[in-house]
Amino acid sequence: MRGSGYVRAIALPPPALGNNTADAQRLEQALKKALNTGFVHIPRALIPDLPGRLREWGWRAKVVLFKDRRSFKVVDLLDPGDSGPVLGAAVDIGTTRMVISLMNLETGEKLGETGFDNPQAGIGPDVLTRIHHARTPAGREELKRLAVDALNQQLVRLCRENQMTPDRVFLVAGAGNTAMTHLFAGLPAFGIIQEPYIPCVNILDTMDAATLGLDIHPRGQVFLFPNIGSYFGGDLLAGILAADLDRKDQPCIMVDVGTNAEIVLGNKDWLMACAGAAGPALESGVSRMGMTAKPGVIDRVRVDPSTKDLILHTIGEEAPVGICGSGMIDLAAALFTSGRIDIRGKLVPEACGQRLTDEDDIPAFELVAGADSGTGRPIRLSQVDLNSLTSAKAAMYTILEVIVSQTAGLSFSDLERFYVAGTFGSFINPDSAITIGMLPDIPTDRFQVLGNTSLKGAELLLTDPEAFDRVMAVRDTITYIELNVNQGFMTLFSGAKFYPHTDTSRFPSVKV
Amino acid sequence: MRGSGYVRAIALPPPALGNNTADAQRLEQALKKALNTGFVHIPRALIPDLPGRLREWGWRAKVVLFKDRRSFKVVDLLDPGDSGPVLGAAVDIGTTRMVISLMNLETGEKLGETGFDNPQAGIGPDVLTRIHHARTPAGREELKRLAVDALNQQLVRLCRENQMTPDRVFLVAGAGNTAMTHLFAGLPAFGIIQEPYIPCVNILDTMDAATLGLDIHPRGQVFLFPNIGSYFGGDLLAGILAADLDRKDQPCIMVDVGTNAEIVLGNKDWLMACAGAAGPALESGVSRMGMTAKPGVIDRVRVDPSTKDLILHTIGEEAPVGICGSGMIDLAAALFTSGRIDIRGKLVPEACGQRLTDEDDIPAFELVAGADSGTGRPIRLSQVDLNSLTSAKAAMYTILEVIVSQTAGLSFSDLERFYVAGTFGSFINPDSAITIGMLPDIPTDRFQVLGNTSLKGAELLLTDPEAFDRVMAVRDTITYIELNVNQGFMTLFSGAKFYPHTDTSRFPSVKV
């Protein structure tokens, strides 16, 4: 048996009077041996074809497999000389955007990637509206169809771009948060948003693609990353896989900054996670203010060391139209290091000079004058925006402090790697984030941006059979920390609302 | 959790903030605990209904389960107060006749039974013709549909007789020989009849009833007893289950006399089986001559001790129309004990007197004169018929001798029980069979007629979850003995062609 992953070339011992087990069991035994596993499932639909195919192919075949919780499953048997592509599709099931990548399952190579808006947003841009819509079977079916139809269309396009067709896609792996996973699979989700926050399902076993209406190979299989709870979804498990957190010797941390801050800490021996609940400040902060990246959006800000002027960079180097989250963090760091905001995050009139203006009687810093902007309107940062950012960065630091120091008993310097996941996180400049006290003051080479970890984890799951078992093992062993916003938290939070922190000894590298 | 078998009343711990796993996993965990098992599969189709049902029913339910090789599977969740019947159907998939019994899965009670001709006989009365017909997918589908449609109709009728409907049938278990199992499941079977005799499949995992077109509960499940090889089918595994052979302390034997003689010998520690190959004499003997039981068929024959007259009994006590297999054995014993045939099985003219006639110049014994028969034609037993019977009984004894003495190294007296299975076997009078030397001379109270063991095994499988594991364990451990018709066999066979045997010391109880 050659090959690796889920595509294997196999040769069976031909039958004889002294070796006369059935065709299906002959295949089953050969695969059990080759995969070193106790059971291999052969689907009923494939069984009638076995006698003809195995004899025609001289007891050799290219076998496409997948896994479920119980065993390997055979998806199809191909002619051993079949030279067509054997494809898989990884899917990031995002609330706003969905992303697919097309994988060659034989080589592990990524052939292409495409992102598109999740059409469920037509029902409601936010998850709450969609969950309410999913209270009826018809609503659930509609939400599922919207997402699945779009996925089917995009998959056709992605395959066509690679001169391939979706009937050569045998496996799909998808990762999303708990609510999105439910809505993608057409499941009721109302339990997720009402106390005591009970999902319909945490582990949805590998299923026929046809069950979801996915137009791939007729016996194609779909695996959706399992959830751990209502606020800890498959996207985070995919992230752990992508970051290899469950295989690290030394403690590492992964922070996914999306609508919530989600944090996983640990190594090969232990993993803990916290998510969501403490994030209201963060939610109403960075992510609200940050625009989606598009041409003209300010994504980097720095201070000219000699003139103290702010130097802006926009996406596509076009006239500025707004600022994104990473630009905001850069801007706050620049304002702070140039003395334009003080350690409480308040605008300093003397330092701001003519840039200080006001919006609805609230002080604001004018970053771009109307005449210079791409929209004709000035781009301003009000004290209210700044306060939100201050709360957000303080919440992030406090959450990190609670989980790393208070819960795990580690210091930040013990963290061998600090992974930053999620679209927003991808663009954060760690130096700026440290400067404002959002991230801890550790050597910047320990920070590593992972990008779309949901997608990467799903890609890994399609190409490495061990990944399936890792996901299940992590799911069963990870400790979920409920982050209580209690008096202790609020005390830490208050200290973290300073720039970079009331306790400046925590940020020795930040010089103002 | 109350109940037994595959119907269980279960109460789940209600969710709480501190116990917030998903509905599906809550059910899974409760069932794992209650069933003391490592995994319980919940079908995808049931998952969307869980949140509503579990909450409406106050976290209680009546759960209908089944098994496959990997785990227990949930078939449906019923209202805990549901008082409707929970039914299963056991099926004997016979070449000529099919039999269904309707089982109450909660009580284990058998509610009714019905037999009907297998409509596949319309394609061909013999299995060979059907296997040839099954070479094309359309032919396979036709054969499957014929059997399944008839089963559906009979099941409706059987349910109606019990004021029930087939949508309350959740489980079906069927047992047949290897070829019949393939044809019932719509699978190619040509490998079974050509060297090296390879079935398409030996173990067909539990599947959706819909896959076969069975009109039962929409998520109903079907299990077909697995085969061990082309000539050792699920019917024999069902028989082992019915006879409890795999649980016996002392060696026991089960003999199924159908078209072939199939024999299983052993106890809880070991089992061996042989079937088929040595049976040509038997095939062309008893079973060819024996009529199917119907009114007027002679089923019992005895000798009046004083007059030596033969006293015939017919089914329904109607005018005689023929003789069935068990009647034939009785008749041969009566002829032998009354001196009308000698130890070589030849008609003795002096003893037969006026009953001796001839048919096509072959001596024959006239059992019923034409004037006394139900057909107007005489009922005769020719020397050719007798020779066939002699070969048949000798073959049976020789096979028993080979497996019990030569292979297992036991003597017949070591057999604690001698089970006789199969329709034909059900009516054999052990005394007569011993008298002619067909069965060994052991105390007649050790013989036990089991009747339709395929059906009984299937009934057991539906009502006792341990039965599934027993079937798989027996399948994996039983030794199949290829019976070679070599010189040694022929020598034994020659000795066994005498009445009762050349070695009369083997039959001390037979006094002539």
Side-chain angles (χ1 to χ4, degrees):
Chain A
M1 177 143 146
R2 290 173 297 105
S4 63
Y6 287 120
V7 189
R8 304 284 184 123
I10 193 162
L12 310 183
L17 278 173
N19 176 1
N20 60 0
T21 191
D23 293 333
Q25 273 59 52
R26 185 175 304 277
L27 176 62
E28 198 176 296
Q29 282 166 15
L31 288 169
K32 273 162 69 174
K33 198 171 156 196
L35 298 163
N36 191 24
T37 188
F39 187 73
V40 175
H41 178 75
I42 302 174
R44 166 68 182 76
L46 195 55
I47 287 175
D49 296 337
L50 293 182
R53 292 193 194 179
L54 289 174
R55 282 164 184 78
E56 185 186 336
W57 299 338
W59 305 97
R60 305 178 68 84
K62 188 187 278 190
V63 186
V64 185
L65 298 141
F66 205 29
K67 267 192 178 174
D68 66 14
R69 267 196 285 176
R70 296 181 289 177
S71 64
F72 278 91
K73 321 171 69 161
V74 174
V75 182
D76 203 4
L77 246 66
L78 305 176
D79 188 316
D82 182 289
S83 61
V86 182
L87 304 173
V91 187
D92 165 21
I93 309 165
T95 311
T96 310
R97 294 278 288 174
M98 295 177 69
V99 186
I100 325 174
S101 58
L102 192 65
M103 304 297 293
N104 179 321
L105 297 180
E106 283 184 282
T107 62
E109 188 195 353
K110 179 164 169 170
L111 302 173
E113 178 181 319
T114 189
F116 52 97
D117 289 338
N118 185 336
Q120 289 178 342
I123 303 294
D126 60 308
V127 171
L128 280 184
T129 311
R130 296 185 211 172
I131 288 176
H132 281 289
H133 195 78
R135 291 190 78 104
T136 64
R140 292 199 277 280
E141 182 60 25
E142 185 183 0
L143 283 159
K144 183 186 83 171
R145 286 251 49 111
L146 282 168
V148 168
D149 286 350
L151 183 54
N152 283 334
Q153 284 165 26
Q154 297 288 336
L155 196 55
V156 168
R157 202 169 60 74
L158 192 56
C159 286
R160 197 161 43 213
E161 284 170 13
N162 289 276
Q163 291 81 52
M164 292 165 185
T165 49
D167 62 325
R168 294 293 300 196
V169 176
F170 293 82
L171 312 182
V172 171
N177 68 34
T178 303
M180 289 310 300
T181 302
H182 278 66
L183 299 177
F184 182 75
L187 297 174
F190 60 88
I192 295 172
I193 52 164
Q194 62 192 21
E195 208 182 294
Y197 311 114
I198 308 296
C200 172
V201 65
N202 279 333
I203 309 173
L204 208 49
D205 262 308
T206 305
M207 59 191 145
D208 292 340
T211 309
L212 293 187
L214 282 170
D215 291 335
I216 58 168
H217 182 276
R219 277 190 298 277
Q221 297 293 307
V222 186
F223 175 71
L224 299 179
F225 275 75
N227 314 308
I228 291 176
S230 284
Y231 293 100
F232 195 147
D235 51 348
L236 229 58
L237 282 173
I240 291 168
L241 208 62
D244 245 0
L245 277 188
D246 59 321
R247 288 177 161 175
K248 299 290 179 189
D249 287 317
Q250 298 303 320
C252 295
I253 197 165
M254 182 178 67
V255 177
D256 188 335
V257 189
T259 3
N260 293 334
E262 291 166 332
I263 294 169
V264 183
L265 174 68
N267 60 20
K268 61 182 166 52
D269 301 317
W270 57 274
L271 286 166
M272 55 174 62
C274 75
L282 209 62
E283 268 185 60
S284 65
V286 174
S287 54
R288 185 181 62 84
M289 296 186 53
M291 289 180 77
T292 309
K294 63 178 181 185
V297 166
I298 298 164
D299 62 343
R300 295 203 300 271
V301 180
R302 63 189 178 88
V303 181
D304 183 304
S306 50
T307 65
K308 302 278 181 192
D309 280 353
L310 298 181
I311 301 167
L312 310 181
H313 178 269
T314 63
I315 295 174
E317 305 198 347
E318 299 197 5
V321 297
I323 188 163
C324 69
S326 62
M328 279 283 295
I329 292 168
D330 266 8
L331 175 60
L335 293 177
F336 177 58
T337 54
S338 64
R340 289 181 174 100
I341 59 175
D342 62 18
I343 58 165
R344 297 167 305 142
K346 301 299 176 194
L347 288 164
V348 179
E350 311 84 81
C352 294
Q354 293 191 334
R355 295 288 190 104
L356 191 68
T357 171
D358 68 279
E359 262 189 4
D360 303 333
D361 293 332
I362 293 163
F365 183 85
E366 187 161 293
L367 193 57
V368 180
D372 299 327
S373 89
T375 61
R377 290 188 304 277
I379 300 172
R380 291 173 178 155
L381 179 76
S382 77
Q383 188 61 54
V384 172
D385 297 332
L386 256 173
N387 293 351
S388 291
L389 178 70
T390 304
S391 288
K393 76 99 189 170
M396 172 59 90
Y397 185 84
T398 308
I399 295 169
L400 290 170
E401 191 176 0
V402 166
I403 190 165
V404 174
S405 310
Q406 298 206 319
T407 312
L410 300 173
S411 73
F412 288 127
S413 61
D414 294 327
L415 302 175
E416 193 185 55
R417 283 266 170 249
F418 194 113
Y419 296 105
V420 181
T423 317
F424 170 58
S426 301
F427 303 101
I428 289 180
N429 176 347
D431 279 316
S432 298
I434 293 170
T435 299
I436 66 169
M438 182 181 184
L439 295 182
D441 193 3
I442 58 174
T444 50
D445 61 5
R446 296 197 190 172
F447 287 97
Q448 191 174 327
V449 163
L450 292 177
N452 188 337
T453 50
S454 294
L455 193 66
K456 282 187 181 149
E459 289 166 0
L460 197 62
L461 191 115
L462 292 175
T463 48
D464 175 9
E466 278 184 31
F468 189 96
D469 303 328
R470 286 171 61 197
V471 169
M472 292 303 165
V474 168
R475 208 208 81 87
D476 287 347
T477 54
I478 199 166
T479 308
Y480 181 70
I481 309 293
E482 201 72 57
L483 208 59
N484 293 309
V485 183
N486 53 24
Q487 193 51 49
F489 183 93
M490 290 314 293
T491 305
L492 295 173
F493 181 62
S494 299
K497 283 173 93 172
F498 286 76
Y499 283 69
H501 196 276
T502 38
D503 176 7
T504 53
S505 72
R506 296 171 180 231
F507 288 85
S509 80
V510 180
K511 313 265 185 260
V512 190
Chain B
M1 175 143 147
R2 291 174 296 104
S4 63
Y6 287 119
V7 189
R8 305 284 185 123
I10 192 161
L12 310 183
L17 278 173
N19 176 2
N20 59 1
T21 193
D23 293 333
Q25 273 60 51
R26 184 174 306 275
L27 177 61
E28 199 176 295
Q29 282 165 16
L31 287 170
K32 274 162 69 174
K33 197 171 157 194
L35 298 163
N36 190 25
T37 190
F39 187 73
V40 175
H41 179 75
I42 302 173
R44 165 67 180 78
L46 195 55
I47 288 175
D49 296 337
L50 293 182
R53 292 192 193 178
L54 289 174
R55 282 165 183 79
E56 184 186 337
W57 298 338
W59 305 97
R60 305 176 70 85
K62 188 188 277 191
V63 186
V64 184
L65 297 141
F66 205 30
K67 266 190 179 178
D68 66 15
R69 268 197 283 176
R70 298 183 286 177
S71 63
F72 277 91
K73 326 171 66 160
V74 174
V75 182
D76 203 4
L77 247 67
L78 305 175
D79 188 317
D82 181 289
S83 61
V86 182
L87 304 173
V91 186
D92 166 20
I93 309 166
T95 311
T96 311
R97 294 278 288 174
M98 296 178 68
V99 187
I100 325 173
S101 59
L102 190 66
M103 305 295 295
N104 180 322
L105 297 179
E106 283 184 284
T107 61
E109 188 195 353
K110 180 163 170 169
L111 302 172
E113 178 182 319
T114 188
F116 53 98
D117 289 338
N118 186 334
Q120 290 178 341
I123 303 294
D126 60 308
V127 171
L128 280 185
T129 311
R130 295 185 211 172
I131 288 177
H132 281 289
H133 195 78
R135 291 190 78 103
T136 66
R140 293 198 277 280
E141 183 60 26
E142 185 184 0
L143 282 159
K144 183 185 85 173
R145 285 252 49 110
L146 281 168
V148 168
D149 285 350
L151 184 54
N152 283 335
Q153 284 166 25
Q154 296 288 336
L155 196 55
V156 169
R157 201 169 60 75
L158 193 56
C159 285
R160 196 161 44 214
E161 284 170 12
N162 290 276
Q163 291 82 50
M164 292 162 186
T165 50
D167 63 324
R168 295 294 299 197
V169 176
F170 293 83
L171 311 182
V172 171
N177 67 35
T178 303
M180 289 312 299
T181 303
H182 278 67
L183 298 177
F184 182 75
L187 297 174
F190 60 87
I192 294 172
I193 52 163
Q194 62 191 22
E195 210 181 292
Y197 313 113
I198 309 294
C200 172
V201 65
N202 278 334
I203 309 173
L204 207 51
D205 261 308
T206 305
M207 58 193 145
D208 291 341
T211 308
L212 292 187
L214 283 170
D215 292 334
I216 59 170
H217 181 276
R219 276 190 299 278
Q221 297 292 308
V222 186
F223 175 70
L224 299 180
F225 276 73
N227 313 309
I228 290 176
S230 284
Y231 293 98
F232 194 147
D235 51 348
L236 229 58
L237 282 174
I240 291 168
L241 208 62
D244 245 0
L245 277 188
D246 59 321
R247 288 179 161 175
K248 298 291 181 188
D249 288 316
Q250 299 303 318
C252 294
I253 196 165
M254 181 178 68
V255 177
D256 189 334
V257 190
T259 3
N260 294 332
E262 291 165 334
I263 294 170
V264 183
L265 173 68
N267 60 21
K268 63 182 166 51
D269 301 316
W270 57 274
L271 286 167
M272 54 174 63
C274 75
L282 208 65
E283 267 185 61
S284 64
V286 174
S287 54
R288 184 182 64 83
M289 295 187 52
M291 290 181 77
T292 308
K294 63 179 182 186
V297 165
I298 299 163
D299 62 343
R300 293 202 301 272
V301 181
R302 62 188 176 89
V303 181
D304 184 305
S306 49
T307 65
K308 302 280 180 191
D309 281 351
L310 298 181
I311 302 168
L312 311 181
H313 177 270
T314 63
I315 296 173
E317 306 198 346
E318 300 198 3
V321 296
I323 186 163
C324 68
S326 61
M328 278 284 293
I329 292 168
D330 265 10
L331 175 60
L335 294 176
F336 177 58
T337 53
S338 63
R340 290 180 174 102
I341 59 174
D342 63 18
I343 60 164
R344 297 169 306 143
K346 301 300 175 192
L347 289 165
V348 177
E350 313 82 79
C352 293
Q354 294 190 331
R355 294 287 190 106
L356 191 67
T357 169
D358 68 278
E359 260 189 5
D360 303 332
D361 293 331
I362 293 164
F365 183 86
E366 186 160 292
L367 194 58
V368 180
D372 298 330
S373 90
T375 61
R377 291 188 304 276
I379 298 171
R380 290 171 178 158
L381 179 76
S382 76
Q383 187 62 54
V384 172
D385 296 333
L386 256 173
N387 293 351
S388 291
L389 178 70
T390 303
S391 288
K393 77 100 187 168
M396 172 60 92
Y397 185 82
T398 307
I399 295 169
L400 291 170
E401 192 177 0
V402 166
I403 192 166
V404 175
S405 309
Q406 299 205 320
T407 311
L410 300 173
S411 73
F412 288 126
S413 61
D414 294 327
L415 302 175
E416 194 185 56
R417 282 267 171 249
F418 194 113
Y419 295 105
V420 181
T423 316
F424 170 58
S426 300
F427 303 101
I428 289 179
N429 175 347
D431 280 317
S432 298
I434 292 170
T435 298
I436 66 169
M438 182 181 183
L439 295 181
D441 193 3
I442 58 172
T444 50
D445 61 5
R446 296 200 189 169
F447 289 96
Q448 191 174 329
V449 162
L450 292 177
N452 189 337
T453 51
S454 295
L455 192 68
K456 281 187 182 151
E459 290 167 358
L460 197 62
L461 191 114
L462 291 174
T463 47
D464 175 9
E466 279 184 31
F468 189 97
D469 303 327
R470 286 171 61 196
V471 169
M472 292 302 163
V474 168
R475 209 207 81 86
D476 287 345
T477 54
I478 198 166
T479 306
Y480 181 70
I481 310 292
E482 201 72 56
L483 208 59
N484 294 309
V485 183
N486 54 22
Q487 193 50 49
F489 184 93
M490 289 315 292
T491 306
L492 295 174
F493 181 61
S494 298
K497 283 173 92 171
F498 286 76
Y499 283 69
H501 197 277
T502 38
D503 176 7
T504 53
S505 72
R506 295 170 181 231
F507 288 86
S509 81
V510 180
K511 313 264 185 261
V512 190

